[in-house]
Amino acid sequence: MLLIENVLYSYDPLVELSFQDISLEKNSQLLISGGSGKGKTTFLHLVGGLLTLQKGLLKLNGVNYGELKGSKLDRFRANNIGIVFQKPHLISSLTVLENLLLSQTLANQKIDKELATRLLGQVGLAHKSKAKTLELSAGQAQRVSLLRAVINKPALILADEPTSSLDDENANDVINLLLAHAKENKSILLITTHDQRVKERIKNQYLL
Amino acid sequence: MNLIRLSWKYIIERPLNTFLNVLLFGFGISIIIVLLLVAQQFKSSLSKNAKGINLVVAAKGSPLQIILCNIYHIDFPTGNIPLKDAIKLSNNRLIKKSIPLALGDSYKNFRLVGTTHAYTDLYKVQVGEGKLWSPHEEVTLGVNVAEQLQLKVGDTFHSEHGLQSGGLAHDEHHLTVVGILDRSGTVLDNLILTSIENIWELHGTHDESSPHHEDDEISTTALGISFHQDELEQKEITSLIIQYAGPMGAVRLPRMINSQTNMQSASPAYETTRLFSLVGVGVDVLNGFAYLIILIAALSIFISLYNSLKQRAYDLAIMRSMGASKRFLLFHVIIESLIISFLGGIFGLFLAHFSIWAIDYFFIPTESQMHVSPLIFSIYEIIIVGLSFVVGFIASLLPAIGAYKTDISKTLAKG
């Protein structure tokens, strides 16, 4: 269960962004839309613990993680939150498979090559596991970055405009994949987007 | 995918950059190690060969030259001294032991040294094969001479006049090898030893047709050399190696010799110290140069880390978003630098010993007295390689702190 209450954020003292309270059960989805500059990304970064919370409450499965600091927050994020960004941002020094394994390492989990390989197989990239990430197409790379976010079975999956730089077919693949993994792990899925293709798929919506 | 592996992946991502950094680091380290090892080996060789020798007395000339020539057999003699004066000096009660040397001949660049058996006693060298020389036409070889020239006991050769190859050969005199010395690591390994009488014979100062040749009554022995009393006036030797009877010798003998005789005394301890202080300036300059290279290497590592950090901002932010702590990124960058400096250190170590081998093989002639060995290691090498770690660490600090401070949200929002 994810609880977001009274969250406010200001980059400078005169402008304060306020966000609606949200309460989500596990295995549920929410799509957040809104024009640019409304604070979609800020909101997602706050929920993901990438930005320090200034005011408000963030609670995931009973843990008040908005109050966690430093490496405690990092560890919490590693084990409970998976984030997908607009661009894949894969680590180009590593191979496709190693990118997934890095996710396990950073979450202090056992390195499970088999799982990583199986996941790659599911998205049709088994043959690319030893390839450098720069050899992947945009759609392939985004699928890998998605796997990287979900491989540790996080309770909360955050996706920031995950489809905006993809064509229809790839966008569709990515949405399907997100929903499938969220469902399989009973994760809460929070997506920010202004992409109509995504809006059509997720009923629970909230306009910022 | 541990930290070291992760850092390694980034290192091999930039092979040319890494190559340059390792090369720079390695060169700096290797210069320092080469200087260190060569100086160390020279010092140990110098002191080993001068052991037990308090003073060398030779003809007036440069004391350093006297030491180099008569102890290390590198330089040329300053001239000759009259045997009469040498004998007179050797009777001084401040002198415990005096060993005469007669130089001037060589065979294929190896020096022929006329002396007495006291010379091998001084270095405590045993005969490995055969026996020590006797006064006439017999030589005992240093082990390197025998190996290099492939001479065995029983072989004969003609020596040449002068200390370098190409001198006039003494064709009328056969020299017969009667023995080969054990290896001692001293100058004796590279010398051909014979008697002083023999050297005189080679140079024809011994009148062979003279009737008193077999007349024992007027034959006399001094300094371990036999000669006829009436020849005393005209006989000469090159030098006298002296061991003091006590500390008073050091106080009085050098001054006495230099002022009251026509000879020159030279102290090996003093002259080698002086030699090192002369060479030391050059060594210092080279050392300074080496530290400069290491400084540049550190700067180069710093710059490449700093530059790559800009390109890697996203990577770092992404790792943070995946749960990497700030400290993880700090160590990630530091370890990258440590790996490069470690490779540089190892490369430097290898290069240093290879260079010493190359110096010895290509630049020092086999018959030379001063050799360096690549197989001698020093404890200081570990310290120097350890030092390279420290330099690598310092070079990485600023970039690592930059990585530590990566603002995840800002960096990711830009992309």
Side-chain angles (χ1 to χ4, degrees), chain B residues 112-126:
Chain B
L112 191 62
V113 177
T115 183
T116 62
H117 293 178
Y119 193 53
T120 52
D121 293 343
L122 178 73
Y123 290 106
K124 300 187 174 65
V125 179
Q126 304 293 317

Side-chain angles (χ1 to χ4, degrees), chain A residues 19 94 126:
Chain A
F19 302 99
L94 305 179

Side-chain angles (χ1 to χ4, degrees), chain B residues 329-343:
Chain B
L329 300 190
L330 184 82
F331 288 138
H332 169 51
V333 174
I334 290 176
I335 285 175
E336 188 169 329
S337 178
L338 289 184
I339 292 175
I340 292 173
S341 50
F342 175 73
L343 290 178

Side-chain angles (χ1 to χ4, degrees), chain A residues 181-195:
Chain A
H181 276 283
K183 193 175 172 194
E184 188 186 323
N185 301 326
K186 297 190 170 50
S187 314
I188 298 164
L189 178 61
L190 207 65
I191 305 181
T192 66
T193 191
H194 54 257
D195 188 338

Side-chain angles (χ1 to χ4, degrees), chain A residues 48-51 69-83 85 91 94 99 101-109 148 152, chain B residues 1-3 6-7 10 312-333 403-409 412:
Chain A
L50 303 181
L51 267 180
K69 292 256 156 19
S71 58
K72 276 188 187 145
L73 178 60
D74 294 328
R75 210 174 310 134
F76 181 83
R77 184 169 55 239
N79 287 305
N80 299 286
I81 305 174
I83 310 174
F85 299 94
I91 311 274
L94 305 179
N99 264 278
L101 301 183
L102 179 64
S103 189
Q104 295 176 330
T105 305
L106 293 179
N108 254 331
Q109 300 212 348
R148 186 176 63 181
N152 296 324
Chain B
M1 190 54 50
N2 57 32
L3 254 177
L6 186 67
S7 296
Y10 276 94
R312 264 153 75 178
Y314 282 124
D315 288 12
L316 296 172
I318 282 287
M319 285 188 221
R320 287 294 316 278
S321 83
M322 286 159 73
S325 64
K326 289 180 163 194
R327 241 184 317 162
F328 183 91
L329 300 190
L330 184 82
F331 288 138
H332 169 51
V333 174
Y404 182 85
K405 286 185 173 166
T406 301
D407 187 326
I408 327 173
S409 179
L412 290 174

Side-chain angles (χ1 to χ4, degrees), chain B residues 276-340:
Chain B
F276 264 102
S277 71
L278 289 174
V279 177
V281 179
V283 171
D284 287 346
V285 168
L286 270 174
N287 251 327
F289 183 63
Y291 283 110
L292 195 69
I293 291 181
I294 288 181
L295 190 75
I296 292 171
L299 202 67
S300 169
I301 289 180
F302 166 74
I303 291 171
S304 53
L305 279 178
Y306 199 81
N307 277 337
S308 80
L309 218 59
K310 281 185 198 157
Q311 299 157 13
R312 264 153 75 178
Y314 282 124
D315 288 12
L316 296 172
I318 282 287
M319 285 188 221
R320 287 294 316 278
S321 83
M322 286 159 73
S325 64
K326 289 180 163 194
R327 241 184 317 162
F328 183 91
L329 300 190
L330 184 82
F331 288 138
H332 169 51
V333 174
I334 290 176
I335 285 175
E336 188 169 329
S337 178
L338 289 184
I339 292 175
I340 292 173

Side-chain angles (χ1 to χ4, degrees), chain B residues 101-115:
Chain B
L101 293 185
L103 309 174
D105 268 30
S106 65
Y107 177 58
K108 294 194 173 164
N109 279 327
F110 287 103
R111 293 190 176 194
L112 191 62
V113 177
T115 183

Side-chain angles (χ1 to χ4, degrees), chain B residues 2-21:
Chain B
N2 57 32
L3 254 177
I4 294 175
R5 241 183 89 108
L6 186 67
S7 296
W8 175 247
K9 292 281 179 179
Y10 276 94
I11 288 173
I12 56 176
E13 184 78 1
R14 301 172 278 132
L16 287 178
N17 218 317
T18 302
F19 176 72
L20 177 71
N21 288 338

